[in-house]
Every structure is written in C-alpha cells, then in structure tokens.
Amino acid sequence: MEESRIMEQYRIWRENAKADPDVVKELQEIEGDGARIEDAFYRDLAFGTGGLRGVIGAGTNRMNVHTVAKASQGLADYVKKHYEGGARKIAVSYDSRIKSDLFAQVASGVFAANDIQVYIYPQLMPTPCLSFAVRNLNCAAGIMVTASHNPSKYNGYKVYGADGCQITTEAAAEILGEIEKLDIFKEVQTMDFQKGVDEGKIHYIGEDVYTAFVEAVKGQSMLDEKTPVDKDVAIVYSPLNGTGLKPVLRTLKESGYTNITVVREQEQPDGHFPTCPYPNPEIREAMALGMEYAAKYQADLLLATDPDCDRVGIAVKNQDGEYVLLSGNETGMLLLDYICSRRREMGTMPEDPVAVKSIVTIDMAERIAAHYGVRTVNVLTGFKFIGEQIGLLEKKGKADSYIFGFEESYGYLSGSYVRDKDAVDGAFLICEMFAYYKTKGVSLLEKLEELYRTYGFCLNTLHSYEFDGSAGFAKMQEIMKAFRAGLTHIGPKKVERCLDYADGLDGLPKSDVLKFLLEDNCSVVIRPSGTEPKLKAYISVSAPDRAEAAAAESRIAESLKEIIK
C-alpha cells in the first residue's frame, strides 16, 4: 500500500512539477529507480520550529520550488489569520547556498500573491540581519533561506515570528496544519517576483536597516575611553563562501580593526563550498585553509563564520607558535567572563543580570556567571529558546538584564537587538576581547587556563551519528526507545539520574531529549537533531586535570558508540 502511494505521488509530480527544469530533469532520471523514488517521496519534508531543511532535489522530501512554495502558502495563511491589513508584512533574506536566491524569490512571490507586503534584502545577508529586519520593520514574520552549516547538497527555510525569534513549537504546529491542508500543485497562490516588485508588493530592504544593524553590533563594545587597546592585531578571516564577508569586515574595520587578511578561496559566496565540503566552523576541516593562511601571514587570530553567519569559530597561537582551535564552549566561557568582568569594571552591570545557555552547553559557565552575581537560565537546544528568554525579560521591562547567551555549537549573542545567534557580534567581541587581553600581555589560551584553575577543569564533547533515509529515521527512534528503557552505567560512570524532557521538564517545552546525570559531576545528553538526519550525544566530564578528563570521556564515548551502533 505504501509503495503504491509513493508511486502515485511520483506520477503526480511527473505531470505537474514544471516550474524548475532541474526538478523536471531529476524526475525523469529517477524513473524506474525504486529506491531513489522512495527516498524522495516517502514523506513530506519535515516542518518544525527550525522550519524546513533537506537535500535539494525533486520530491516531497526535498527542498525545491514546490515544497518552498507550499510552505510559504501555509505561512501566508497563518499570517492572514493572525494579522490584519498593514500588519501583514514578512521579511525575507537568503544566503549563498544553491538555489537560495531562487527559493527566496519564490517565497516572496507567494506572499505577494496573498496580499502580504514583502521586504527582501537586495543581496544575500546573514541570519541575524533577517532577525533584525523583522523587528526593525515591524513584520509579522520572516524567513531566512539557508541550511546553516550543512553540506552543499542541503538547503532550508527558517521561519521567524514577529519577535525576531525562530517560531515556537505552538506556532510551528499551527503553520504545519495550514501547510498540510494544501494541495501542492492546485492551492498555492503565486506571483512572478519582478511583477511583485513592479506592483509595489515586494520591497527591497534599504541600506538604513543594514546600517542600523551594524551600529547595533558596534554598540555591544565592552571598551570605554579609560581603556586603551591596541587594535592592530593581525586577523585572518574566512566567511566560508557565505554571507559574512561584508557585514563582518564592515563592522571590524569601522571599529578600528584594519589588519585583516581574508582567505581568498573562501571569500566570495559559493554554494558549492569547493574548499570546505562541510562549511561548519565546528569542524577542523572547515578551518584548515584558514589555519594555513594564519601560519603564512603569522596572524594573531583566525576567525571563520558559517554560510548564514550565525556561528563563528576561532583559532589562536600557543606558546610553540602552533594554531589551536577553541571549542564553542571555550570561546563562550571566555566571552562570558570578559563581558562580566568588563561590565563590573565599567559599572554597567544591570541590577538583575542574566546569562542564558542551553542544557547541553558546558556547566562551568554557571560557575563563572555566579562569581559575578549573574543568574543563569538553562533552556533547550536551539537559540530560539535563548531569544525567547530575552523576549520574556523585555515584557517585564528588563531587557537590559540580558547580558549574554551562548550555545556549545558556536553561537553567541551579547545584546537584545536581535533574537538569534549572531556571528557578526561574535566576531566583533572576539576581536575586542583578544585585543584587550593582548594589550595586557595575556593570550586567550592563558586566560582559559586561568578560568580552569579558578573553576575546575571541565571537558565537553559532541559526537554525531548519521542515519539517512526512511530506515535511518526509524532506527533513530528505536535507539531513543532503548535509551529510555534505562541504563545503569555509561562507560565507567554510574548513572545517578535520567532526565526525560519528552513530557516537558523544569518549565521547558516537550522535547525528545534525554540527559543522564552520571557520578563525579559528569553527564550525557542524547537527542535527535531537529535539522539533520543525525543522533547527537553531548558528553560532559569534570576531572582534576585535562588528561584524566580525556580518558574518562573516551571510555564514555566508546560505550555510547556500542549502544547506538
């Protein structure tokens, strides 16, 4: 029965999917290939709080002009139900990925056909610029066409609410309900993009909005006139062929950092990512070319931002002159300590300061925050939950209480001007922090070791296990059931408690996440990725020193691998 349903979908697409020649060609190519047809049509591409994300191609389980248009019609119907007249406005941005510009135009045409005013950047812009535009232009919603740091075969579609945050679970469910009502070929209203522009239904976002964003980032500086800092540090920067080039360079140069070398091969937008197949600054391979540049030009600091410029990774020199990559947790802790210490010195710490982090982010951050009298709020994985906390503070008239939020996955935000992680802000503050400490004769690695001496050593690692296709999706569900059945030990560590977030916990939304609290202040978090066909395991180990922590982490990781594989 399932096979006949899949083949019927394939037949319908062969007859109706004519809007993109690439889709037409692929549908012809897969004729007779049951496995490829099944993978393309066994389900509709999942829509959730992260919007859409999937492989570019033909079919209901792919990113293409038809699935994008259908999702856009669902979002349009949602906006029309909740907003009246002039309040029906949607902001649009896109990154350098394959077909991102096309998907942005298709979505804009759907919104315009539904009498919703569209505001789109005239060129590719980072995710934080989209979050900023939603609030700056008082839009009802926003979309960012991106697959963030995924490989080049992927694209995606993030949806934002009027608050500039990615949509909530409730909003995602309601939008999904609207999407599921639609016939993908008969009930989607569309308009030619250029016609929408000519008729005044699609507007280009002005330079003033972009400039306001850059000024907001520069306003996050923790320096004052009493603190002289030598900004002539040698910086190598790579936008990893994404959107970061213009906003990152503009922000840094306008702030006095002019000694910057850009990695030439990764400078210009290119959705094929020819020198970094996985354009994710969390991965050493993505940073490799930048590290070669850093060594060649004897740079003090290497920065790299992912394609939609919401994550930033860094490398710094050690005492032997070798470049060392810092993890998202390490960079986040350094930034948290820097912001807290500088605010204290400048007298700008708010009355009830708040830092926000995800439950999988290093626990040591809480000890740093507590030292400065800063309250830590823990939220589920996903920066939208950090943005949500900013919104809750804003409703109480305490938006200024928020001083920093970060995730272990290289996402940082120091202000409330946007409601998503911002690698422009991250790059700016990292350069400032680096220059500040260098002026004092202190390296970031030395500062990090000082934090470990003060608060105790903590090692956090992430392990990902990939499960592609329908069989992989089912396998992940089986593995989560196995974990929920109960474990007494993970590696050498005894399980003291298991926190299951499936039914909601500590006031957090329901989420398919398990956290195992282990002896000796260690922990393991297991969760399926919301945006990729992966199961993720986050290991946290506290130990007297780095060597002992690494040994324990290795045994825990090996145990998890056996359970999962």
Side-chain angles (χ1 to χ4, degrees):
M1 189 69 179
E2 178 66 12
E3 183 179 352
S4 62
R5 186 196 65 81
I6 289 171
M7 291 308 298
E8 175 63 12
Q9 280 293 309
Y10 171 68
R11 184 191 64 77
I12 291 171
W13 275 64
R14 281 294 303 267
E15 293 177 358
N16 296 280
K18 307 296 185 184
D20 184 345
D22 291 337
V23 170
V24 174
K25 181 181 178 183
E26 185 176 337
L27 288 170
Q28 292 171 345
E29 289 175 351
I30 66 175
E31 184 175 5
D33 190 333
R36 288 183 67 186
I37 291 173
E38 179 185 355
D39 194 42
F41 289 96
Y42 82 92
R43 66 169 184 168
D44 287 350
L45 195 63
F47 182 93
T49 56
L52 297 172
R53 190 173 301 186
V55 174
I56 302 164
T60 58
N61 187 36
R62 296 287 187 265
M63 282 292 296
N64 53 65
V65 293
H66 303 289
T67 53
V68 166
K70 183 180 179 182
S72 300
Q73 183 63 56
L75 176 57
D77 291 339
Y78 170 84
V79 167
K80 287 189 290 185
K81 280 189 176 181
H82 290 272
Y83 294 88
E84 297 292 335
R88 293 176 176 173
K89 298 187 289 185
I90 295 179
V92 178
S93 186
Y94 59 95
D95 70 2
S96 62
R97 288 185 171 273
I98 298 166
K99 294 187 182 290
S100 277
D101 54 350
L102 174 62
F103 293 163
Q105 290 189 5
V106 166
S108 297
V110 172
F111 301 144
N114 282 272
D115 292 322
I116 295 172
Q117 293 293 308
V118 181
Y119 294 85
I120 184 171
Y121 279 106
Q123 59 186 325
L124 74 175
M125 279 287 174
T127 287
C129 289
L130 184 278
S131 176
F132 185 85
V134 168
R135 299 176 73 243
N136 184 275
L137 298 170
N138 297 310
C139 293
I143 66 160
M144 176 71 196
V145 181
T146 179
S148 188
H149 56 286
N150 287 80
S152 61
K153 67 180 181 178
Y154 285 86
N155 211 325
Y157 179 111
K158 296 179 182 177
V159 181
Y160 289 75
D163 58 357
C165 290
Q166 285 191 58
I167 50 173
T168 63
T169 305
E170 294 77 13
E174 190 174 343
I175 295 168
L176 176 59
E178 296 295 339
I179 295 170
E180 289 179 333
K181 293 177 186 176
L182 299 167
D183 182 294
I184 195 167
F185 296 116
K186 296 178 181 178
E187 297 177 321
V188 177
Q189 300 179 56
T190 61
M191 173 181 282
D192 177 73
F193 179 81
Q194 188 57 50
K195 183 181 179 184
V197 173
D198 294 341
E199 293 185 2
K201 294 183 176 182
I202 299 174
H203 313 268
Y204 287 112
I205 296 173
E207 184 72 16
D208 57 325
V209 175
Y210 172 47
T211 297
F213 167 79
V214 171
E215 291 301 318
V217 173
K218 289 158 58 180
Q220 302 308 307
S221 174
M222 291 291 120
L223 299 178
D224 57 19
E225 295 176 357
K226 302 175 185 176
T227 312
V229 170
D230 179 9
K231 294 182 178 180
D232 190 33
V233 292
I235 300 165
V236 165
Y237 169 59
S238 172
L240 296 180
N241 301 117
T243 59
L245 181 67
K246 291 183 178 180
V248 170
L249 289 186
R250 176 177 171 180
T251 302
L252 291 179
K253 288 179 178 179
E254 288 183 6
S255 302
Y257 305 93
T258 56
N259 188 4
I260 304 171
T261 301
V262 179
V263 177
R264 182 179 56 79
E265 296 89 338
Q266 299 171 345
E267 180 175 7
Q268 295 303 319
D270 186 342
H272 295 281
F273 310 116
T275 61
C276 52
Y278 292 86
N280 182 355
E282 298 177 67
I283 299 173
R284 174 174 288 274
E285 288 77 9
M287 304 290 284
L289 189 56
M291 291 174 78
E292 289 179 19
Y293 265 70
K296 178 180 178 181
Y297 293 98
Q298 284 300 293
D300 297 308
L301 174 66
L302 165 66
L303 301 166
T305 54
D306 70 341
D308 66 323
C309 197
D310 62 356
R311 301 171 192 243
V312 57
I314 71 170
V316 293
K317 274 193 291 191
N318 63 16
Q319 290 181 331
D320 298 325
E322 300 168 333
Y323 288 89
V324 178
L325 293 169
L326 296 190
S327 71
N329 277 316
E330 290 170 332
T331 303
M333 290 191 300
L334 285 165
L335 285 170
L336 175 63
D337 182 76
Y338 171 70
I339 289 167
C340 288
S341 63
R342 290 298 302 148
R343 277 183 172 271
R344 177 183 280 184
E345 288 175 27
M346 295 190 299
T348 60
M349 188 72 87
E351 277 188 26
D352 178 26
V354 175
V356 190
K357 72 176 190 67
S358 66
I359 59 174
V360 300
T361 298
I362 194 163
D363 295 331
M364 184 175 151
E366 294 191 48
R367 300 197 286 275
I368 296 172
H371 173 79
Y372 293 99
V374 175
R375 177 166 58 93
T376 301
V377 176
N378 284 287
V379 296
L380 292 175
T381 305
F383 218 90
K384 56 183 167 287
F385 296 113
I386 295 177
E388 184 179 49
Q389 290 298 317
I390 302 174
L392 292 173
L393 288 169
E394 188 176 56
K395 287 178 181 177
K396 296 176 184 176
K398 301 176 72 174
D400 290 344
S401 289
Y402 172 83
I403 62 167
F404 190 57
F406 80 103
E407 289 186 321
E408 48 73 41
S409 54
Y410 294 57
Y412 318 104
L413 178 66
S414 67
S416 61
Y417 60 99
V418 296
R419 301 297 159 85
D420 208 340
K421 51 188 177 286
D422 181 4
V424 184
D425 173 49
F428 169 68
L429 280 177
I430 287 165
C431 290
E432 179 178 290
M433 173 177 67
F434 183 93
Y436 173 81
Y437 287 129
K438 188 183 180 190
T439 303
K440 291 179 173 292
V442 178
S443 74
L444 288 189
L445 292 176
E446 288 169 337
K447 186 64 184 177
L448 187 60
E449 288 304 317
E450 179 189 314
L451 293 180
Y452 285 136
R453 287 194 302 272
T454 304
Y455 301 103
F457 189 80
C458 190
L459 174 64
N460 274 46
T461 60
L462 166 63
H463 299 263
S464 295
Y465 309 88
E466 195 158 343
F467 299 90
D468 284 320
S470 57
F473 181 74
K475 180 67 174 174
M476 280 197 288
Q477 292 179 315
E478 289 174 17
I479 292 169
M480 291 302 291
K481 284 181 182 177
F483 274 113
R484 285 193 167 91
L487 298 173
T488 59
H489 287 76
I490 301 180
K493 301 294 183 181
K494 180 182 177 182
V495 175
E496 295 184 335
R497 190 182 173 199
C498 177
L499 304 177
D500 191 341
Y501 292 85
D503 295 322
L505 200 63
D506 299 330
L508 299 176
K510 296 178 182 179
S511 185
D512 190 12
V513 179
L514 292 169
K515 184 168 186 174
F516 293 92
L517 303 178
L518 312 180
E519 62 183 332
D520 300 325
N521 200 26
C522 302
S523 68
V524 171
V525 176
I526 306 288
R527 74 175 185 93
S529 171
T531 56
E532 305 168 90
K534 290 180 179 179
L535 195 68
K536 295 190 173 184
Y538 304 81
I539 302 172
S540 178
V541 178
S542 294
D545 57 47
R546 189 182 298 271
E548 193 171 324
E553 191 279 339
S554 179
R555 292 181 65 188
I556 292 171
E558 191 60 34
S559 177
L560 287 173
K561 185 178 179 181
E562 289 300 314
I563 297 169
I564 290 171
K565 294 293 184 182

